Amino acid sequence: MCGIVGRVGDDEAVERVVAGLENLEYRGYDSAGLALQNGAGLEVRKSTGKVQELKDQLTVESADGNVGIGHTRWSTHGAPTEENAHPHTNETGDIAVVHNGIVENHSSLRRRLEREGVEFTSDTDTEVIPHLVDHYYDGVDPKWAFTRAVRELEGSYAVAAMFDGEDAVFAARQGSPLVLGIDEDQYFLASDVSAFLEYTDEVVYLEDGDVATVRPEIVTVTTVEGRPVDRSVESVDWNPEEVNKGAYDHYMLKEIESQPYSLTNSIESHLTDAGDAIDVDVFDPATIAGFEEVQFVACGTSYHAGLYAANVLNEAGIRARAFRASEYQVAADPVSEETLVVAVTQSGETADTLGAMRTASSAGAHVLTVTNVAGSTAVRTADESLFIHAGPEIGVAATKTFSSQAVTLSLLAQHLAEYMESGTPHPELDAVLDGVRSLPGDLQRVVDSESASMLANYYLDSDAFFFIGRGLGYSVAQEAALKFKEITYEHAEGFASGELKHGPLAMVTPRTPVFAIFTGSHDEKTLMNAKEAQTRGADVVAVAPDGHPAIDETDAHLPLPETHPMWAGLLANVQLQLLSYHAANELGRSIDKPRNLAKSVTVE
């Protein structure tokens, strides 16, 4: 969840390190820091708060150097204080380290080092690393000392280190992402390609167990045992402009409004050129025919996309269920060679999802990952990969990636239904495809409307916000509630509409608006459930197309374009994303960087 950046070249590094930290700030914003090699020692600067605080410090007291590492932190061990901010150093300050992940054996390493007389200055697990490196460093061979120390670390980590007098960054990964960027006259190192995308789109994805030595003139990669390895250079097809806010006040609004474009990429990637058939190239038909059930594993927003897809498969006659990845290892259904496990992860680095994938693989299941990031750990772990092609997403609250995940998974579901023995292809497949081709234009109409802004203001002083739906609308209701609570910090809940009377109605008051999602399927029952809340004094907002019967019987309306029921929930989702955004904006919340949250959760 923390963000690591490094830059090695012949000219000044500080501006590019800071720019990389700003690009990675969605991964953590409790504190930030950097270390620079300038020929006269290592300069280390740290601050609490956001990267801007570090920039302000550097404005007052500049720093320079041609080699640098930086870090933006999401706290796991130790409070968000300057002492706990990275980089951490050894006692003499000639070794600096930044780290993402968790050193699971840090307590035993710390006790051992303290017995040797080392004095620690922070509460972090990371601080054991520079002291351990120092323990092995003989002043001659920094790579050996770094590698020897890394071999003693247990857990998941991405770590980068600098040594005084060495124009180099030494880095290693095990379970946490780390990627190299290769430019003509400089190299970058980061947790995510968005850190340096404005400089280069040529990347090398490091793999678990890799140790990289990055110097101004060359990069070498070995195993921790010292054996050379060859990692291919790949080109990233993301547009650098997508990692900038441009004229927008927030990344979230930019990413909501970019969905017609990102969804076009997703749809075109999974339809034939003529757009009249699904083209999903995962597993051969004979393998698919052997699947008896499908399990989705994911976290947060990706889990809601998995719920959406499981519903689509159930309607096609296929046994499917979505699991929260954090619970999968202890509460999953049995799996076998006839089970397809679909791991949904935007970043491809979500620790809980990766753990679920490994559990499924070890039990003999086929594993497919649906992700946004080529070269990610999920891609290397899965048997097959399917990409959503949504482009980089910087806002912590996922928006455009949910739409792309849900569409990609729904098209995948139709593909599976064609070949699985229990599956029945959709009886209105032509209408489904017509609807998905129209989806980007329909989304643009939603984005252009102002209804969500007006309703957000009207209901701003409410005590709680309920979202309800049936079938595909239920997963959208859960996602809408998650988005609302993530960025407004207000009480929000998503329910299957029929469950209101089984408990949640006790929470309904005249200050509890209920947003009812009408997808064109089971709408009569959804309306009946909504009216149960209405009779208790709650306002009901119909999220529905113009002319829908529910509009005359509810208190307010969020309009949707007419579309096929399979896609109506996604249009509702964008209206509700806008509702959350405008409410949070009126409340003055930190929309792109909500408190206590980070985007890519790489620890369990």
Side-chain angles (χ1 to χ4, degrees), residues 301-316:
T301 289
S302 296
Y303 168 73
H304 297 148
L307 274 178
Y308 198 98
N311 190 284
V312 174
L313 280 172
N314 291 157
E315 290 184 354

Side-chain angles (χ1 to χ4, degrees), residues 321-581:
R321 185 179 172 192
F323 293 87
R324 298 184 188 277
S326 58
E327 290 292 301
Y328 188 77
Q329 297 179 61
V330 296
D333 286 352
V335 300
S336 68
E337 294 180 357
E338 289 75 41
T339 305
L340 172 62
V341 173
V342 182
V344 190
T345 162
Q346 187 281 136
S347 67
E349 303 293 348
T350 308
D352 289 318
T353 304
L354 293 172
M357 293 172 69
R358 295 181 184 111
T359 296
S361 290
S362 65
H366 290 75
V367 177
L368 165 70
T369 188
V370 176
T371 184
N372 197 33
V373 182
S376 60
T377 303
V379 172
R380 294 194 295 273
T381 303
D383 299 308
E384 294 274 2
S385 302
L386 188 61
F387 298 100
I388 66 172
H389 299 290
E393 185 177 65
I394 306 302
V396 168
T399 52
K400 67 177 183 175
T401 54
F402 175 79
S403 297
S404 291
Q405 285 173 337
V407 165
T408 300
L409 288 167
S410 297
L411 294 175
L412 169 67
Q414 299 306 318
H415 179 68
L416 295 176
E418 182 178 356
Y419 297 106
M420 288 181 67
E421 185 175 341
S422 61
T424 302
H426 200 289
E428 300 175 352
L429 187 57
D430 288 344
V432 168
L433 295 180
D434 285 344
V436 79
R437 288 194 299 268
S438 300
L439 201 50
D442 291 338
L443 277 177
Q444 188 63 58
R445 291 165 59 192
V446 173
V447 165
D448 291 341
S449 69
E450 298 180 358
S451 302
S453 176
M454 292 186 290
L455 280 179
N457 280 286
Y458 184 78
Y459 289 114
L460 198 61
D461 294 329
S462 300
D463 291 336
F465 298 79
F466 283 6
F467 302 85
I468 64 171
R470 280 179 180 265
L472 294 174
Y474 167 55
S475 56
V476 173
Q478 289 222 310
E479 171 60 14
L482 175 63
K483 212 58 51 197
F484 202 91
K485 68 182 73 174
E486 278 181 325
I487 64 169
T488 69
Y489 313 153
E490 299 296 311
H491 180 204
E493 300 290 344
F495 302 106
S497 58
E499 289 300 301
L500 271 181
K501 57 185 174 291
H502 296 292
L505 271 178
M507 300 289 292
V508 167
T509 74
R511 293 174 58 83
T512 311
V514 176
F515 293 81
I517 299 163
F518 295 94
T519 64
S521 180
H522 312 296
D523 284 357
E524 298 83 1
K525 290 186 177 181
T526 297
L527 178 59
M528 179 180 66
N529 300 138
K531 290 181 74 65
E532 291 168 351
Q534 194 178 46
T535 60
R536 273 76 178 177
D539 273 12
V540 173
V541 179
V543 188
D546 289 330
H548 193 284
I551 296 171
D552 292 335
E553 300 189 53
T554 52
D555 302 284
H557 177 214
L558 271 177
L560 306 177
E562 288 278 2
T563 189
H564 191 278
M566 186 173 292
W567 312 120
L570 300 186
L571 299 177
N573 177 66
V574 175
Q575 276 287 30
L576 295 171
Q577 288 174 352
L578 288 166
L579 178 84
S580 298
Y581 172 80

Side-chain angles (χ1 to χ4, degrees), residues 96-152:
V97 166
V98 293
H99 162 241
N100 178 24
I102 292 179
V103 180
E104 294 178 355
N105 62 333
H106 72 98
S107 294
S108 60
L109 291 172
R110 187 181 186 117
R111 289 193 297 269
R112 177 184 126 195
L113 290 163
E114 285 176 333
R115 287 195 297 269
E116 295 174 2
V118 172
E119 292 186 10
F120 285 78
T121 60
S122 80
D123 300 317
T124 69
D125 57 334
T126 301
E127 196 186 352
V128 301
I129 303 175
H131 294 304
L132 191 61
V133 174
D134 188 30
H135 172 81
Y136 291 111
Y137 187 40
D138 59 4
V140 177
D141 193 344
K143 182 187 175 184
W144 182 86
F146 174 75
T147 304
R148 183 64 183 80
V150 164
R151 287 166 59 183
E152 294 195 33

